[in-house]
Amino acid sequence: MIGGGQLARMTHQAAIAMGQTLRVLATSPDESAARVTPDVVLGAHTDLEALRSVAQGATVVTFDHEHVPTELLDALVADGITVAPPPQALVHAQDKLVMRRRLEALGAPVPRYAEVTDVADVEAFAARIGGPVVVKTVRGGYDGRGVTLADDLDAARAAVRRYLDDGAAVMVEERVAMRRELSALVARSPFGQGAAWPVVHTVQQDGICVEVIAPAPNLDPALGAAAERLGLGLAADLGVVGVLAVELFETVDGGLLVNELAMRPHNSGHWSMDGAYTSQFEQHLRAVLDYPLGATGPLAPVTVMGNVIGAPEPPEMSMDERVHHLFARMPEAKVHLYGKSERPGRKIGHVNVLGAAGGSLDDEAYVADVRERATRAAHWLSHGVWTDGWDPHD
């Protein structure tokens, strides 16, 4: 696996149960996966010799992130190495402009967009759509980086100048009037078998996913089925091997638009570690190894994931003590920590909370209770403060 972050770490956990060994290309022995995986190669994902070293003797090469240059992956394929997903598929998760153009050609629903090479391009686009815009770097952005929600044309101009001055390729999109963000997570094997998890509702703050509700409540069944078909269809059309996350906007008029693609395990699928028959990490391994895919049904009426994100000021209480108090108060919480140091805005773990059997996704109070418990647990681990003011020593 190219990349040594938390996705590689959790993929390694799944590999152990399957009798597989995951070799990781990490930049440092302190990276999340390098701390737990016995087979680590240190090097950069932009170094062909490092890529060749980690690939030597491996059954398949796959990814913790999408940032490996396409030409280097083409070189691995020319060496006879199996790369999953293959470079011709992965480029659609690496390059937003390539992705938009290909999806448009396939007839998939996408926001209106345009390539930007100078400030005049964003001015012309804003005039054409008659509404607010989003300025994006074409490559490399994630978790809100490389994305500017421009409140007005002056802000859009400034963002374009900033990105272009940094040497980035730039594009602009319409800002979608949406009801909420959804994610359709699917998997596909080289044999062509596909599998889809229930569509989930993702909650974003400052460009970072903070909460996932699975399945998405109050989702029209026809729209949910359409989202699953869209995900499976794109996986087949693009030649994806492994997990594919299709991040979606549910528009105010009840439609769907594709926002982003990720061809790897994804934050919106972390709930599946405890809430589905097959986790996204096991499924990704099954897919890239061409095993039959696992069942994707949910184990509870609703599962909520809360991301543990570094607080502005790290708590004085150690993480070990915070975990101790969380387990004492909420024994049902499933904690997944990534072995990362705490810093503001950094994803350092997540918590999954499953709704009790017998509940219903249609029961708003039931769903709200599970959401409150998951977000309360995640906030406690981040800040060392209970959102309801509870004091364990009182």
Side-chain angles (χ1 to χ4, degrees):
M1 183 165 263
I2 309 303
Q6 64 261 27
L7 300 180
R9 182 185 178 104
M10 290 181 279
T11 303
H12 172 61
Q13 292 175 250
I16 292 170
M18 296 174 64
Q20 300 290 334
T21 298
L22 187 74
R23 180 183 300 150
V24 168
L25 179 66
T27 58
S28 162
D30 292 329
E31 281 196 90
S32 293
R35 289 173 173 267
V36 298
T37 310
D39 196 352
V40 179
V41 173
L42 296 180
H45 64 269
T46 53
D47 180 346
L48 179 57
E49 292 312 308
L51 294 172
R52 284 176 166 152
S53 178
V54 78
Q56 186 175 7
T59 305
V60 61
V61 171
T62 189
F63 305 94
D64 169 275
H65 60 73
E66 292 99 346
H67 305 315
V68 183
T70 304
E71 61 272 18
L72 300 188
L73 296 179
D74 288 336
L76 294 185
V77 173
D79 290 344
I81 295 163
T82 300
V83 177
Q88 64 269 25
L90 187 64
V91 68
H92 298 94
Q94 296 175 316
D95 188 305
K96 295 179 178 65
L97 197 56
V98 169
M99 180 264 290
R100 282 282 179 261
R101 288 169 172 162
R102 181 67 186 283
L103 265 56
E104 189 174 43
L106 291 170
V110 296
R112 290 175 290 178
Y113 70 94
E115 183 177 11
V116 173
T117 57
D118 59 45
V119 172
D121 293 330
V122 73
E123 293 170 345
F125 180 78
R128 174 161 65 87
I129 67 166
V133 303
V134 181
V135 183
K136 295 181 175 182
T137 56
V138 169
R139 282 181 174 258
Y142 66 98
D143 284 349
R145 298 172 179 87
V147 177
T148 298
L149 304 179
D151 293 327
D152 53 37
L153 189 54
D154 285 342
R157 291 189 190 102
V160 167
R161 291 191 189 97
R162 185 170 69 253
Y163 292 147
L164 290 176
D165 287 348
D166 287 341
V170 180
M171 63 181 292
V172 65
E173 295 180 350
E174 64 177 318
R175 195 188 302 191
V176 175
M178 64 175 174
R179 179 186 173 207
R180 59 180 170 177
E181 294 189 57
L182 303 172
S183 178
L185 193 73
V186 303
R188 181 177 178 272
S189 72
F191 181 73
Q193 184 187 11
W197 287 267
V199 175
V200 303
H201 173 199
T202 66
V203 179
Q204 317 287 325
Q205 288 180 5
D206 299 323
I208 300 176
C209 178
V210 295
E211 182 187 6
V212 173
I213 305 100
N218 304 311
L219 180 64
D220 179 81
L223 194 66
E228 291 183 19
R229 287 195 303 271
L230 177 61
L232 290 168
L234 289 177
D237 289 337
L238 299 178
V240 174
V241 174
V243 165
L244 168 69
V246 183
E247 298 180 50
L248 298 161
F249 297 133
E250 181 183 358
T251 61
V252 292
D253 59 2
L256 295 172
L257 292 173
V258 177
N259 178 27
E260 304 277 1
L261 300 179
M263 296 182 191
R264 51 170 171 78
H266 189 254
N267 203 166
S268 67
H270 289 351
W271 70 275
S272 66
M273 297 177 74
D274 303 297
Y277 282 100
T278 306
S279 80
Q280 64 168 344
F281 299 101
E282 178 185 337
Q283 195 82 297
H284 187 73
L285 289 171
R286 288 191 186 213
V288 301
L289 293 170
D290 208 8
Y291 289 168
L293 300 182
T296 51
L299 296 174
V302 66
T303 299
V304 178
M305 182 220 72
N307 265 332
V308 181
I309 298 171
E313 293 291 336
E316 293 184 7
M317 184 186 298
S318 71
M319 178 60 79
D320 181 68
E321 189 173 356
R322 279 173 266 161
V323 170
H324 179 102
H325 284 297
L326 176 64
F327 285 164
R329 189 181 186 197
M330 302 177 65
E332 76 279 14
K334 305 294 289 185
V335 174
H336 302 271
L337 296 177
Y338 305 154
K340 290 182 170 183
S341 59
E342 297 180 60
R343 65 170 183 249
R346 188 184 204 189
K347 293 177 184 174
I348 55 177
H350 69 271
V351 180
N352 287 330
V353 175
L354 278 65
S360 171
L361 191 64
D362 297 326
D363 183 341
E364 291 186 4
Y366 171 82
V367 174
D369 173 69
V370 183
R371 291 186 66 178
E372 187 279 329
R373 285 187 285 132
T375 55
R376 172 162 37 109
H379 188 276
W380 165 255
L381 290 179
S382 295
H383 296 78
V385 175
W386 291 108
T387 54
D388 59 359
W390 189 71
D391 181 355
H393 301 296
D394 187 353

